[in-house]
Amino acid sequence: MKRTDQTPMVRPEDMALCRRWTGAYFDDPSRLPFSFRLGQETIHGIPDSWHPKVTSRLVDASFAETTVRGIDDRTGLAVQVEARVYRDFPVVEWVVLFSNTHDSPTPILSDLQALDAAFAGREPVLYHCNGDFYNEEGYTPTETPLPKGKSLTFAPNGGRPCDGAFPYYRVRFEGCGLTLAVGWPGQWSANFAGTEDGVSVRAGQEQTHLRLLPGESVRTPRMTLMAWTGDTERAVNLWRRWYRAHVLPRSEGRPMPPMLASAGTDTGEEFTAATEENQLRYQEEFTRRGVDFDVWWIDAGWYPCKDAEGHRHWPRTGTWVPDPERFPRGLKPVSEGAAKTGARLLIWFEPERVTKESALFKEHPDWLLRTTEEDNNALLNLGLPACREWLTDHVCGLIRESGIGIYRQDFNFPPLAYWRTHEAEDRRGMNENLYVQGYLRYWDDLRARNPGLWIDSCASGGRRNDLETMRRSVPLHYTDFGYGNHPVKLAFHHTLFEWIPYFKECTLSWDVSGPDDDTRFDKAVDSFAFHCAMAAMLFPSFDIRRDDYDTAVVRQMVGLWRQAAPILLDGDYYPLTPFSRDPFRWVAWQFDRPERGDGMLQGIRLAACQEQTLTVTLRGLEPGAEYLFENPETGEQRHLSEADLSRDGFTLSLPPRSGAIWLYRRVVKPSEPPVSERTDPQEHR
């Protein structure tokens, strides 16, 4: 198949560039791209005097692992670098571990930088983003030139890695660039500085100034670096392809498919009014109305959470058992009800927050990190092995007993002050480091003990979606802001599609009624709400207790979503309109699967937009090919050649507050053999 120059297949030039940039560091242990201070000495890499030893192994056809280990005879500090070099993508990753092998504390170990390196290139420009922080300004992409002497430093707010910062970056040079991710579910810091011939980068845990006690170990963030040639369009789609191949978690060995989620509960805070009876009744009602859900969602409030006056409040966390008053047989009947339709049960947890009213707060004060005696929240210290092991055993028991298929973990307060309060001067950063290790081990153990389990990462929305977390989970709830604010959430999508292909969206419409209006679901099932909610997981947000909805529209739009979602998840992403929150604009994007010769184009005319039409230039098409476009909602078809599309573009015409999806496929050319005589290798994977 012919492809345009920018089609995002891996090129030999990409692999060569990755080797050129990283080989200089990884070929010599003393030049490994990290640094630290031991006492008063700044050390880069592993010095020759530490007797570094290198071992390598080919794990499979897609990557090799290299371990470099050295020990300082004087202090007993051992340093180990664990690197992964991919063979199918221009990507290198590594993490650095520091361990005390002596029987006395180490000198002060400080300023641990997982990455401390320079990259050569002309006219560098940094692409960065501000993450999620419950504001319409979240997920804003920014481009900043980095001439010599220009420096930018980034760090999140309060210890959750995507809170006000985003640990994913691209540096564009003339004709090439690098993509970089800081994998640290805590308080990281990254600095980018323009140099004479390129950019220098430093990144690591924000604060480290500590002695390691005998037998103790700390680790750095996991650094991920991707090299690419061409423009940022290629960079985006190489990342998406690598992410799907090597980061997106798999369920029972298979890629995670698009899923439809449904839920129902009675009046109350979140799911504090959920009962066994109404959960089963609402499941049956969705089925009766022809909405075939894949996930049954129970959010916060299913556990005992009554106050002294008998009112239930979901933030009263720390007692992780089903409320016996509402679920006398536990949650198993609910999961069995969902399983009758082939659906998984999703259950919300927030194990890291322990409130004063909980049994855990009273029984294990030694497991809690606190800031003041007056603070109602305590942080469950996952850095303590006994605490983490208890939590793992307890939650695994609940997962098995309840039939939970998706474990949803929330985190609704910033942990940084809890890590740093009362920390000794020579142990600064230790609580956080041990905590991060425990958090990742907890999730690894949940997945290992419960094959097929999904994990949903939530932290007041999308505030803990670093790459280490994403290797173990999907960020279904990427923000707490603007569920029904169409221009804002479409702007969020514009950024998220570049970095994290799998997330959930819901079909709320606040342009019809406000977020605090009890009638806000009135237009939740119109086609426009669905068009603004196209994502890998869809949540049709209509009130199952009511019978005045046009569920035929729901069924039609769910059917359209089921056709589009696999392309949206697997395709190369091309934004056809710029990032914007302007309600007076169109929004359009394309997802293309060149190996299969198909894709989708979506156009959305926002409610206040005055332009009736939008003409867009499609990307990634095969030169000389012909394509058949079809609008599944209207049945309209267009037969267009790649030459026609390149010359004239594709014109969308819609009334205000409406959207359209055009599915397309490459038409077999007369010179090609009939379909029955051809073999598509993709179909035999």
Side-chain angles (χ1 to χ4, degrees):
M1 180 192 303
K2 297 178 183 177
R3 297 189 177 91
T4 66
D5 183 59
Q6 293 304 310
T7 301
M9 308 300 179
V10 176
R11 302 170 176 169
E13 298 94 320
D14 300 324
M15 304 300 287
L17 179 63
C18 184
R19 175 64 183 170
R20 184 165 76 247
W21 270 339
T22 63
Y25 294 114
F26 284 92
D27 288 346
D28 180 352
S30 67
R31 297 190 62 196
L32 285 164
F34 72 96
S35 66
F36 60 99
R37 287 180 62 83
L38 185 60
Q40 299 301 312
E41 181 184 8
T42 298
I43 299 173
H44 291 262
I46 301 178
D48 293 340
S49 60
W50 290 36
H51 320 295
K53 295 182 179 179
V54 181
T55 59
S56 298
R57 69 186 186 101
L58 182 64
V59 177
D60 58 30
S62 61
F63 67 89
E65 288 183 344
T66 296
T67 300
V68 186
R69 179 178 171 84
I71 299 179
D72 178 25
D73 294 333
R74 180 178 59 86
T75 64
L77 180 66
V79 178
Q80 181 165 306
V81 179
E82 297 175 356
R84 174 177 290 189
V85 179
Y86 288 86
R87 297 161 62 88
D88 55 349
F89 284 91
V91 176
V92 176
E93 299 184 286
W94 66 93
V95 62
V96 187
L97 302 102
F98 298 82
S99 303
N100 184 0
T101 65
H102 273 193
D103 55 6
S104 58
T106 66
I108 292 292
L109 182 63
S110 62
D111 196 22
L112 274 59
Q113 299 295 319
L115 171 62
D116 189 346
F119 303 93
R122 298 180 59 186
E123 300 181 5
V125 176
L126 179 66
Y127 290 68
H128 51 102
C129 174
N130 59 351
D132 178 41
F133 50 101
Y134 194 73
N135 191 288
E136 69 174 15
E137 298 295 325
Y139 292 112
T140 298
T142 303
E143 301 179 23
T144 304
L146 285 178
K148 180 183 177 181
K150 174 77 171 181
S151 177
L152 292 173
T153 299
F154 304 90
N157 301 315
R160 291 177 293 182
C162 300
D163 189 346
F166 203 54
Y168 301 88
Y169 298 91
R170 283 192 300 273
V171 179
R172 187 196 73 208
F173 298 113
E174 186 178 62
C176 65
L178 65 91
T179 297
L180 186 148
V182 184
W184 188 249
Q187 186 70 12
W188 54 271
S189 176
N191 174 266
F192 297 81
T195 65
E196 184 72 39
D197 61 352
V199 171
S200 66
V201 188
R202 286 166 52 89
Q205 182 181 343
E206 183 182 62
Q207 184 181 100
T208 47
H209 184 273
L210 52 90
R211 299 181 191 275
L212 289 180
L213 303 180
E216 280 190 327
S217 297
V218 293
R219 56 158 288 181
T220 68
R222 184 178 302 276
M223 302 305 306
T224 301
L225 189 150
M226 169 182 280
W228 41 271
T229 56
D231 60 16
T232 55
E233 189 175 90
R234 285 198 76 248
V236 165
N237 287 309
L238 279 177
W239 176 269
R240 282 176 57 91
R241 286 169 174 255
W242 173 77
Y243 190 106
R244 291 194 304 268
H246 295 290
V247 177
L248 185 66
R250 292 176 172 256
S251 176
E252 299 174 330
R254 296 187 297 273
M256 298 178 68
M259 304 284 267
L260 182 75
S262 291
T265 187
D266 289 345
T267 302
E269 291 183 5
E270 294 290 337
F271 281 67
T272 56
T275 66
E276 176 186 320
E277 184 277 330
N278 66 31
Q279 293 303 287
L280 294 175
R281 174 160 45 88
Y282 292 145
Q283 289 176 3
E284 293 171 359
E285 185 64 15
F286 271 99
T287 302
R288 185 184 71 81
R289 299 193 195 185
V291 180
D292 298 322
F293 55 88
D294 306 304
V295 174
W296 187 255
W297 190 299
I298 296 181
D299 217 271
W302 53 272
Y303 37 84
C305 53
K306 276 186 177 178
D307 63 16
E309 288 74 38
H311 303 296
R312 292 189 177 96
H313 302 285
W314 70 265
R316 297 168 69 90
T317 55
T319 304
W320 298 110
V321 296
D323 186 344
E325 295 182 19
R326 295 176 289 143
F327 299 97
R329 298 188 293 165
L331 295 169
K332 187 67 171 178
V334 183
S335 69
E336 290 175 340
K340 290 178 182 178
T341 64
R344 295 169 176 251
L345 177 63
L346 178 150
I347 298 292
W348 180 97
F349 289 81
E350 193 182 358
E352 293 157 288
R353 178 165 63 167
V354 182
T355 58
K356 288 183 177 180
E357 303 85 5
S358 67
L360 190 57
F361 191 98
K362 299 166 186 174
E363 294 170 3
H364 278 288
D366 53 318
W367 288 357
L368 306 178
L369 294 172
R370 302 179 65 187
T371 54
T372 66
E373 292 296 320
E374 293 74 28
D375 190 351
N376 188 55
N377 290 328
L379 181 65
L380 189 66
N381 190 358
L382 298 180
L384 298 175
C387 171
R388 172 182 51 77
E389 290 164 6
W390 171 86
L391 180 65
T392 304
D393 291 341
H394 183 70
V395 173
C396 282
L398 276 171
I399 289 170
R400 290 191 296 269
E401 295 163 11
S402 305
I404 296 170
I406 302 178
Y407 168 84
R408 170 170 165 77
Q409 183 164 322
D410 208 341
F411 193 24
N412 285 307
F413 68 113
L416 188 60
Y418 295 81
W419 291 329
R420 292 183 177 178
T421 299
H422 310 309
E423 208 168 40
E425 179 64 22
D426 64 350
R427 299 283 283 177
R428 285 190 279 130
M430 196 68 191
N431 280 342
E432 176 184 348
N433 203 288
L434 295 177
Y435 189 100
V436 165
Q437 293 183 59
Y439 156 76
L440 296 174
R441 173 68 183 274
Y442 169 56
W443 278 18
D444 287 340
D445 289 346
L446 286 187
R447 297 174 69 210
R449 295 193 199 180
N450 303 280
L453 181 74
W454 287 27
I455 297 178
D456 167 22
S457 169
C458 184
S460 302
R463 305 192 202 190
R464 186 164 58 179
N465 292 337
D466 65 286
L467 200 56
E468 279 287 68
T469 296
M470 293 297 91
R471 292 180 184 281
R472 299 158 171 85
S473 65
V474 287
L476 298 183
H477 193 69
Y478 65 87
T479 187
D480 276 341
F481 186 86
Y483 306 149
N485 186 329
H486 302 134
V488 169
K489 78 177 186 179
L490 290 171
F492 292 167
H493 294 183
H494 190 285
T495 296
L496 284 166
F497 284 143
E498 292 190 2
W499 295 106
I500 304 175
Y502 203 110
F503 56 89
K504 171 191 67 72
E505 191 49 90
C506 57
T507 59
L508 290 175
S509 294
W510 290 351
D511 59 339
V512 176
S513 54
D516 300 318
D517 188 336
D518 287 340
T519 65
R520 65 184 181 274
F521 293 147
D522 277 351
K523 290 291 184 181
V525 295
D526 70 353
S527 64
F528 185 64
F530 274 87
H531 273 288
C532 295
M534 288 288 163
M537 181 180 281
L538 179 66
F539 198 119
S541 305
F542 66 99
D543 189 342
I544 195 62
R545 296 172 297 178
R546 291 169 44 179
D547 59 8
D548 57 344
Y549 287 114
D550 186 349
T551 50
V553 172
V554 176
R555 292 192 295 271
Q556 177 193 15
M557 296 306 296
V558 166
L560 174 58
W561 168 81
R562 288 199 185 277
Q563 293 181 72
I567 303 172
L568 184 149
L569 177 60
D570 296 336
D572 296 325
Y573 165 56
Y574 299 101
L576 304 178
T577 52
F579 176 91
S580 173
R581 302 183 190 88
D582 188 344
F584 298 93
R585 287 176 174 260
W586 281 77
V587 175
W589 35 53
Q590 174 195 1
F591 294 86
D592 182 73
R593 299 190 293 190
E595 293 89 346
R596 300 176 66 97
D598 67 3
M600 62 169 278
L601 161 66
Q602 184 179 27
I604 297 171
R605 183 179 173 186
L606 292 168
C609 179
Q610 299 300 307
E611 287 76 28
Q612 182 178 346
T613 64
L614 174 71
T615 299
V616 294
T617 301
L618 301 188
R619 308 289 294 146
L621 302 182
E622 180 184 351
E626 296 184 354
Y627 291 86
L628 179 64
F629 289 77
E630 181 175 9
N631 183 331
E633 289 181 84
T634 65
E636 181 185 354
Q637 292 186 342
R638 301 184 193 178
H639 192 140
L640 298 166
S641 69
E642 179 271 335
D644 295 333
L645 291 162
S646 297
R647 182 184 65 249
D648 303 325
F650 190 101
T651 298
L652 299 153
S653 179
L654 290 170
R657 198 180 184 278
S658 64
I661 285 178
W662 289 83
L663 303 176
Y664 65 82
R665 59 183 175 85
R666 189 178 64 247
V667 178
V668 177
K669 292 182 288 189
S671 60
E672 294 179 345
V675 174
S676 61
E677 299 177 16
R678 292 187 294 124
T679 299
D680 183 355
Q682 294 292 323
E683 296 179 359
H684 298 281
R685 283 190 170 182

